[in-house]
Amino acid sequence: MAVEILQTGKLLESCEEALASRFTVHKLHEATDRDTVIEQIGPRIRGIAGGGASAELIARLPSLEIIANFGVGYDNVDVAAARARNVRVTNTPNVLNDAVAELAIGLMIALARRIPQADQFVRQGRWLKGQFPLLSELNGKTVGILGLGRIGKEIAARCQAMKMRVVYHGRHRQPHEPFVYYDKLLDMARDSDWLVVIAPGGRNTEKVVSRQVLEALGPGGFLVNMARGTLVDEAAMVEMLVSGKLGGAALDVFENEPQVPEALFALDNVVLSPHQGSATHQTRTKMGALVVANLGAHFSGEPLLSAVV
Ligand code: 8YV
């Protein structure tokens, strides 16, 4: 009998095919009555493919052994509940570093040079009536990276290619990195022109980019969030972008996505992106393959490829 697993969200076709060839897959995200489905098949489910495993869901799957999360961030998995039940958790690190870092740089240039607005300016025929305003460049500016992890390092390397000065803040100084370390985010924000947020989400980092940090970044400063909306005090950010107390923001993630604060839609000093960091064919294929490989390894009794628990 094939091992039965629960799929919690839509995955790439190649990934779904690979899962189906190996497991009996139950697609929870397609169920109209999730409660009844979980009640019926819950006791037989030994793995989750996807993400979004709450403590409540974990509790209803008594045979669960592994949660293979589709994504490097696993703030949507109740890790404590998994650990308490000896349920393994895997994520999809590394394979998305380049894609996320590329988009970060893309959004930074888009914001600095107002590329989306310039495109509208041309399309709407406004160029015929006047000039687009002069703006600023990335080179020569200081970028503070909040979270110099695997993706943060790729962003740092690309910022260097943009001739920016890179500094960082995180839980620990990384002595082998060539960048200046700040042990206080507030101090880094004060000294930076750009603040790039690429630290994990979850309770530990909730609203670490507080109003105070945004004030330190100031009217000439730009915020870039590639991580999770939960890291930023979104209400404060919106108010400060509207009033000009914060220079601008390039945002790939939001506190309550896909809901985006409407006040942002009217602003010129903002570039918005619908959580696209890893959203390329090549990266999503690799992420899906890693989900399948982790499940395969687990049920063959082999070491997991990328375990977080
Ligand atoms: C999403 C991401 O997981 O990897 C992460 O942590 O934020 C993204 O890659 C992806 O959008 C899947 O929903």
Side-chain angles (χ1 to χ4, degrees):
M1 282 274 283
V3 168
E4 296 191 41
I5 66 166
L6 195 64
Q7 189 183 324
T8 51
K10 190 164 166 42
L11 296 167
L12 242 65
E13 217 171 291
S14 59
C15 179
E16 295 203 358
E17 279 168 12
L19 287 175
S21 72
R22 173 110 207 224
F23 305 106
T24 299
V25 182
H26 300 277
K27 297 187 177 180
L28 188 61
H29 57 292
E30 287 179 5
T32 40
D33 184 355
R34 289 166 58 104
D35 241 21
T36 310
V37 171
I38 296 170
E39 210 169 285
Q40 283 167 355
I41 58 163
R44 305 198 302 270
I45 295 298
R46 293 174 62 195
I48 289 181
S54 62
E56 191 227 335
L57 179 62
I58 294 170
R60 295 181 71 187
L61 308 176
S63 311
L64 188 65
E65 296 168 32
I66 179 168
I67 300 164
N69 186 54
F70 183 81
V72 65
Y74 48 93
D75 46 310
N76 54 351
V77 175
D78 195 315
V79 169
R83 199 175 265 131
R85 280 262 315 277
N86 272 332
V87 172
R88 306 298 309 273
V89 180
T90 62
N91 66 345
T92 60
N94 294 319
V95 293
L96 44 56
N97 298 352
D98 289 328
V100 179
E102 278 186 15
L103 187 64
I105 297 298
L107 291 177
M108 288 170 75
I109 300 175
L111 176 59
R113 305 298 288 273
R114 305 288 200 269
I115 294 174
Q117 294 81 355
D119 178 275
Q120 288 300 314
F121 186 81
V122 176
R123 286 176 199 241
Q124 293 166 359
R126 285 189 278 149
W127 193 13
L128 300 169
K129 296 172 205 143
Q131 289 297 313
F132 198 65
L134 298 184
L135 296 157
S136 63
E137 301 172 26
L138 299 186
N139 65 80
K141 302 282 165 40
T142 295
V143 55
I145 299 192
L146 168 55
L148 194 72
R150 289 170 289 228
I151 305 174
K153 289 189 176 88
E154 291 296 339
I155 294 175
R158 285 162 177 79
C159 286
Q160 286 186 299
M162 294 294 138
K163 304 184 183 172
M164 301 183 86
R165 174 175 169 262
V166 177
V167 300
Y168 72 104
H169 168 75
R171 273 170 304 170
H172 312 289
R173 180 193 299 274
Q174 300 184 48
H176 300 298
E177 294 304 325
F179 315 117
V180 169
Y181 172 69
Y182 282 81
D183 56 6
K184 291 201 175 54
L185 175 57
L186 193 63
D187 292 341
M188 183 174 81
R190 192 168 293 129
D191 291 353
S192 297
D193 303 294
W194 289 78
L195 175 61
V196 176
V197 181
I198 189 65
R203 260 179 233 133
N204 291 340
T205 55
E206 218 164 288
K207 293 194 178 27
V208 284
V209 181
S210 60
R211 177 180 286 273
Q212 227 189 345
V213 168
L214 295 172
E215 277 168 0
L217 197 57
F222 297 105
L223 173 73
V224 182
N225 193 356
M226 302 302 296
R228 291 288 183 266
T230 52
L231 281 97
V232 176
D233 182 340
E234 195 169 79
M237 176 194 73
V238 171
E239 186 270 304
M240 292 174 68
L241 285 165
V242 170
S243 63
K245 283 182 248 161
L246 178 63
L251 306 167
D252 186 46
V253 289
F254 304 86
E255 193 176 339
N256 205 12
E257 58 189 51
Q259 304 295 329
V260 174
E262 261 185 53
L264 296 177
F265 298 165
L267 299 182
D268 254 358
N269 54 345
V270 166
V271 174
L272 304 171
S273 167
H275 199 148
Q276 293 291 289
S278 68
T280 66
H281 292 291
Q282 93 200 57
T283 288
R284 287 284 168 86
T285 301
K286 288 184 199 158
M287 289 165 68
L290 198 44
V291 166
V292 177
N294 272 308
L295 287 169
H298 175 78
F299 290 109
S300 312
E302 288 159 18
L304 298 175
L305 284 90
S306 46
V308 290
V309 172

mmCIF file of all heavy atoms in Angstrom, residues 1 121 163 176 182:
data_model
loop_
_atom_site.group_PDB
_atom_site.id
_atom_site.type_symbol
_atom_site.label_atom_id
_atom_site.label_comp_id
_atom_site.label_asym_id
_atom_site.label_seq_id
_atom_site.Cartn_x
_atom_site.Cartn_y
_atom_site.Cartn_z
ATOM 1 N N MET A 1 0.849 -1.214 0.000
ATOM 2 C CA MET A 1 0.000 0.000 0.000
ATOM 3 C C MET A 1 0.876 1.254 0.000
ATOM 4 O O MET A 1 1.811 1.357 0.799
ATOM 5 C CB MET A 1 -0.864 0.012 1.274
ATOM 6 C CG MET A 1 -2.062 -0.910 1.214
ATOM 7 S SD MET A 1 -3.484 -0.104 0.448
ATOM 8 C CE MET A 1 -4.056 0.926 1.786
ATOM 9 N N PHE A 121 4.043 56.804 -17.301
ATOM 10 C CA PHE A 121 4.266 58.167 -17.798
ATOM 11 C C PHE A 121 4.308 58.165 -19.326
ATOM 12 O O PHE A 121 3.707 59.006 -19.993
ATOM 13 C CB PHE A 121 5.581 58.675 -17.201
ATOM 14 C CG PHE A 121 5.916 60.103 -17.491
ATOM 15 C CD1 PHE A 121 5.347 61.134 -16.759
ATOM 16 C CD2 PHE A 121 6.839 60.429 -18.493
ATOM 17 C CE1 PHE A 121 5.677 62.456 -17.016
ATOM 18 C CE2 PHE A 121 7.170 61.746 -18.752
ATOM 19 C CZ PHE A 121 6.590 62.768 -18.008
ATOM 20 N N LYS A 163 27.747 48.791 -6.589
ATOM 21 C CA LYS A 163 28.664 49.753 -5.956
ATOM 22 C C LYS A 163 28.068 50.395 -4.701
ATOM 23 O O LYS A 163 28.258 51.579 -4.428
ATOM 24 C CB LYS A 163 29.101 50.841 -6.952
ATOM 25 C CG LYS A 163 29.750 50.270 -8.209
ATOM 26 C CD LYS A 163 30.233 51.402 -9.089
ATOM 27 C CE LYS A 163 30.820 50.876 -10.378
ATOM 28 N NZ LYS A 163 31.112 51.942 -11.325
ATOM 29 N N HIS A 176 33.498 36.032 9.336
ATOM 30 C CA HIS A 176 34.144 35.799 8.034
ATOM 31 C C HIS A 176 33.543 36.645 6.923
ATOM 32 O O HIS A 176 34.026 36.608 5.789
ATOM 33 C CB HIS A 176 34.101 34.313 7.671
ATOM 34 C CG HIS A 176 34.800 33.458 8.690
ATOM 35 N ND1 HIS A 176 36.149 33.601 8.948
ATOM 36 C CD2 HIS A 176 34.343 32.512 9.541
ATOM 37 C CE1 HIS A 176 36.486 32.767 9.926
ATOM 38 N NE2 HIS A 176 35.408 32.108 10.299
ATOM 39 N N TYR A 182 26.159 45.485 12.674
ATOM 40 C CA TYR A 182 25.501 46.287 13.706
ATOM 41 C C TYR A 182 24.782 45.342 14.663
ATOM 42 O O TYR A 182 24.014 44.504 14.210
ATOM 43 C CB TYR A 182 24.461 47.220 13.078
ATOM 44 C CG TYR A 182 25.035 48.449 12.424
ATOM 45 C CD1 TYR A 182 25.566 48.390 11.144
ATOM 46 C CD2 TYR A 182 25.027 49.675 13.083
ATOM 47 C CE1 TYR A 182 26.078 49.520 10.536
ATOM 48 C CE2 TYR A 182 25.536 50.813 12.476
ATOM 49 C CZ TYR A 182 26.065 50.730 11.209
ATOM 50 O OH TYR A 182 26.567 51.852 10.607
#
